[in-house]
């Protein structure tokens, strides 16, 4: 597997892996009819927007790494009480 693809499949790097997989499966299931998968695309877009905001705030605050690890993300979501996207 190419290195870039490995990074995209790494849950520590890609916080929206579940949403990305769900949208891909929807596309496969619906013969690549984008209209049938709109909800999945919106969830993925909302996920990326949420975690990008977290990443930008951490960068602004000087926290490294910019993207929280998978464990940190679970704690953030637990403190919110639900998935915000």
């Amino acid at each position: 597997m190419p290195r870039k693809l490995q990074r995209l499949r790494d849950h520590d790097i890609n916080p929206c892996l579940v949403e990305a997989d769900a949208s891909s499966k929807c596309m496969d299931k619906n013969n690549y009819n984008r209209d049938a998968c709109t909800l999945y695309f919106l969830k993925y877009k909302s996920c990326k927007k949420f975690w990008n905001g977290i990443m930008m705030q951490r960068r602004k605050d000087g926290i490294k790494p910019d993207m929280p690890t998978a464990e940190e993300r679970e704690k953030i979501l637990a403190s919110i009480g639900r998935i915000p996207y």
Side-chain angles (χ1 to χ4, degrees):
M1 188 181 313
R3 187 159 183 87
K4 185 173 183 179
L5 189 56
Q6 284 178 337
R7 288 188 55 155
L8 291 175
R9 300 296 310 159
D10 185 0
H11 196 64
D12 272 338
I13 295 171
N14 185 359
C16 301
L17 188 58
V18 173
E19 290 79 6
D21 288 345
S23 62
S24 294
K25 285 179 185 177
C26 179
M27 290 290 282
D28 288 340
K29 181 180 170 186
N30 291 297
N31 201 23
Y32 294 89
N33 178 3
R34 292 182 58 87
D35 294 334
C37 301
T38 303
L39 181 62
Y40 292 97
F41 297 145
L42 290 175
K43 286 185 82 167
Y44 176 74
K45 185 177 179 180
S46 296
C47 177
K48 293 296 277 188
K49 184 177 181 181
F50 175 78
W51 289 112
N52 188 48
I54 297 286
M55 186 175 68
M56 297 304 287
Q57 186 62 45
R58 286 171 62 102
R59 188 176 293 158
K60 182 179 168 185
D61 295 341
I63 301 171
K64 294 287 183 183
D66 296 335
M67 178 59 71
T69 62
E71 288 180 11
E72 289 177 298
R73 289 194 304 266
E74 287 177 18
K75 291 176 185 175
I76 291 169
L77 292 175
S79 71
I80 295 172
R82 63 178 176 81
I83 295 177
Y85 44 87

